[in-house]
Amino acid sequence: MTLNKRFLIACTVILLNGCNQDEPSTSSTTVEPPKTDVELLNEQEWDDNRVYVTKDNYILMKEANGTIPGIMKPCFVVNSAKEWPREDLSNTDSYDLPRVDFRWNNGGFVSASANEKAIYESYDKVWSIKTDGTDLRLVTDDFSGDVRIMRRSPNNRYLAYSYASRTSGGTDKVVFDVQTQKSTLLGTDLGHSQFLWAEDSSYLYFEDRAKYWKYEIATGKTTQMDDDFHFSEVGVIYGGKRYVVSDFGVVIYDELTDERLLSFGYPSKGDEIYSQFVKDYNVRKDFHMKNSSISPDGKYAWGESSKYRFFMNTETQDVKLEKKDPKKKSQYRFFDVLGLNADYVRSASAGSARQYKLTKDKKLFAQTQHWGQICSGHSATLSWLYNGFANNGAFIKEDK
């Protein structure tokens, strides 16, 4: 058995209990128990140096591409999701770094005549992982359909998500309690999904039937909001303010009074293109942000339109603009997951993680890492950051 494999076997316990814990002392007269299936599998020599976590699930270690050579990252093969460790709020080792939720159908493509287990493995489930690529956890499989959007509460306990249901035929909106493993259906429609958590996780805004609603966690009460109330698919409530990333910029509200405090974006009235922007639909379309993100404290926001990328500081109202050009290196690409203080960013893909530590002026190429963290199934996407203040927002342990 190679040294690397012995090290990986020792460290797979990080999935459950963390690494480098003290070994219990044993008496020399203790009778060794029979070896488990996992132990027997790990005694074998595998061409890919796999290490089994359960008898149907294992980990491969692969070198990440990027500016720091020799960094090894785990790549997970999950053939039996129900055997994989669930997210456990009581395990403090899971929360020493920021994490991302993502959707993943861990099994391969199957036909309608496949057995029940194969069909289950091929369905979407919600997973989470640390931003350094370790501690993969199954969050929930308590649904049957294709996930559309996920948003975790600031206290990490609740996951709001929607999915195209195979049973209702609509888009179900759900709150899942990670602690009790219970799901609450908020609504079902054929439309768009949006969620926004309160800063203290006590309530949730959501969209259903083209209306905005407020759901209170403690009471289960749902209240329809006024027509002039606004939030967005990408936003955050922090420091008593509600940050709304709109199609063309950021709008900030006082969360208590709903007073509109500030709005800005690109282009503004002082910009040369503003008059044409107002008059010309095609020009407006060029600046319409199709993808966006926001930092956990609302200080930074990012957006991407068909022709431009925008990076916004909500405190200074400074907007950086970059025109997409395949012949030039981008400074504002892969900002789909925006860390605290915009020190780190990563792409929304989860099957192949692309992560960057930004320069001091918040551009790419200070450090890069790119690795495949999913080695089974056929797609893993929709990464969304939570626990974002851990480790001072740094995505890896060395940087705080």
Side-chain angles (χ1 to χ4, degrees):
M1 187 181 297
T2 66
L3 180 62
N4 284 341
K5 185 171 182 179
R6 287 199 299 271
F7 175 77
L8 181 54
I9 290 173
C11 283
T12 52
V13 295
I14 199 171
L15 291 165
L16 297 174
N17 299 313
C19 215
N20 297 325
Q21 295 194 13
D22 294 335
E23 293 286 341
S25 60
T26 57
S27 170
S28 59
T29 60
T30 301
V31 177
E32 293 291 331
K35 291 184 178 180
T36 65
D37 290 341
V38 172
E39 289 172 328
L40 291 171
L41 285 167
N42 283 329
E43 284 185 352
Q44 299 182 43
E45 292 293 335
W46 301 97
D47 291 340
D48 54 10
N49 290 319
R50 68 181 62 176
V51 173
Y52 280 83
V53 178
T54 71
K55 64 183 179 64
D56 293 320
N57 305 314
Y58 57 89
I59 300 174
L60 304 173
M61 293 299 288
K62 297 188 175 184
E63 186 171 3
N65 297 319
T67 56
I68 307 176
I71 299 295
M72 303 299 292
K73 294 288 188 179
C75 195
F76 299 93
V77 179
V78 178
N79 297 308
S80 183
K82 289 189 181 298
E83 296 179 5
W84 196 264
R86 297 253 175 174
E87 184 166 345
D88 180 3
L89 294 171
S90 67
N91 185 355
T92 56
D93 288 341
S94 286
Y95 301 99
D96 59 355
L97 284 174
R99 299 181 65 91
V100 290
D101 286 313
F102 64 97
R103 58 148 294 281
W104 176 28
N105 39 20
N106 57 284
F109 289 105
V110 298
S111 66
S113 60
N115 63 54
E116 184 177 345
K117 181 182 184 304
I119 292 174
Y120 162 79
E121 302 297 344
S122 72
Y123 280 176
D124 270 10
K125 305 163 197 69
V126 179
W127 303 77
S128 70
I129 197 167
K130 289 183 182 181
T131 46
D132 69 350
T134 65
D135 196 49
L136 175 72
R137 298 281 176 157
L138 176 61
V139 180
T140 181
D141 58 355
D142 189 26
F143 62 98
S144 177
D146 300 324
V147 176
R148 295 290 183 253
I149 187 175
M150 298 167 289
R151 296 292 185 263
R152 186 72 73 103
S153 62
N155 66 359
N156 301 332
R157 177 172 173 174
Y158 302 99
L159 174 74
Y161 70 100
S162 69
Y163 65 98
S165 172
R166 289 185 171 88
T167 55
S168 72
T171 300
D172 287 2
K173 290 84 182 281
V174 176
V175 171
F176 176 72
D177 186 334
V178 177
Q179 181 170 302
T180 66
Q181 297 288 295
K182 292 183 179 179
S183 298
T184 301
L185 181 65
L186 299 178
T188 299
D189 64 13
L190 297 176
H192 190 243
S193 301
Q194 295 182 164
F195 299 105
L196 181 64
W197 281 101
E199 190 172 355
D200 63 358
S201 305
S202 64
Y203 59 89
L204 167 73
Y205 296 122
F206 69 98
E207 181 184 13
D208 190 55
R209 303 185 302 279
K211 299 289 184 181
Y212 291 152
W213 307 80
K214 181 179 181 180
Y215 173 74
E216 298 177 28
I217 293 294
T219 64
K221 180 182 178 182
T222 301
T223 306
Q224 183 176 336
M225 305 302 293
D226 294 337
D227 290 340
D228 58 355
F229 177 84
H230 297 285
F231 75 103
S232 59
E233 181 177 317
V234 173
V236 67
I237 299 174
Y238 185 78
K241 297 177 181 179
R242 186 170 72 251
Y243 295 81
V244 178
V245 182
S246 67
D247 293 342
F248 299 102
V250 179
V251 185
I252 303 175
Y253 296 86
D254 184 290
E255 174 60 9
L256 183 62
T257 66
D258 201 34
E259 177 188 359
R260 183 168 176 155
L261 303 175
L262 176 67
S263 63
F264 69 96
Y266 193 92
S268 64
K269 290 184 178 180
D271 293 316
E272 183 179 348
I273 199 173
Y274 180 78
S275 59
Q276 186 179 358
F277 175 85
V278 173
K279 296 176 182 177
D280 192 333
Y281 168 76
N282 289 324
V283 172
R284 292 200 307 274
K285 185 171 64 174
D286 292 342
F287 291 89
H288 185 281
M289 295 191 299
K290 299 178 180 179
N291 303 308
S292 56
S293 61
I294 193 166
S295 63
D297 59 357
K299 181 177 179 179
Y300 294 98
W302 169 86
E304 184 177 51
S305 70
S306 59
K307 292 187 178 181
Y308 297 92
R309 296 186 183 97
F310 313 89
F311 183 66
M312 296 162 277
N313 184 321
T314 65
E315 289 185 355
T316 65
Q317 303 176 46
D318 182 40
V319 180
K320 303 293 187 184
L321 172 69
E322 172 185 83
K323 189 170 185 178
K324 293 181 179 179
D325 186 343
K327 297 179 181 180
K328 296 181 180 179
K329 284 187 175 182
S330 170
Q331 298 298 327
Y332 301 111
R333 192 180 180 191
F334 304 122
F335 279 35
D336 311 86
V337 177
L338 193 56
L340 184 67
N341 298 317
D343 289 331
Y344 280 84
V345 298
R346 60 187 284 154
S347 65
S349 171
S352 181
R354 188 181 293 271
Q355 186 163 286
Y356 299 85
K357 181 181 180 181
L358 300 186
T359 62
K360 290 183 179 180
D361 57 352
K362 309 304 180 186
K363 295 181 180 180
L364 292 181
F365 305 116
Q367 291 178 11
T368 69
Q369 286 186 354
H370 179 204
W371 70 94
Q373 63 183 12
I374 299 305
C375 282
S376 68
H378 44 278
S379 63
T381 57
L382 301 181
S383 293
W384 188 260
L385 187 72
Y386 72 102
N387 198 42
F389 292 89
N391 198 41
N392 293 324
F395 284 6
I396 57 177
K397 266 298 182 67
E398 299 88 88
D399 298 318
K400 296 183 181 181

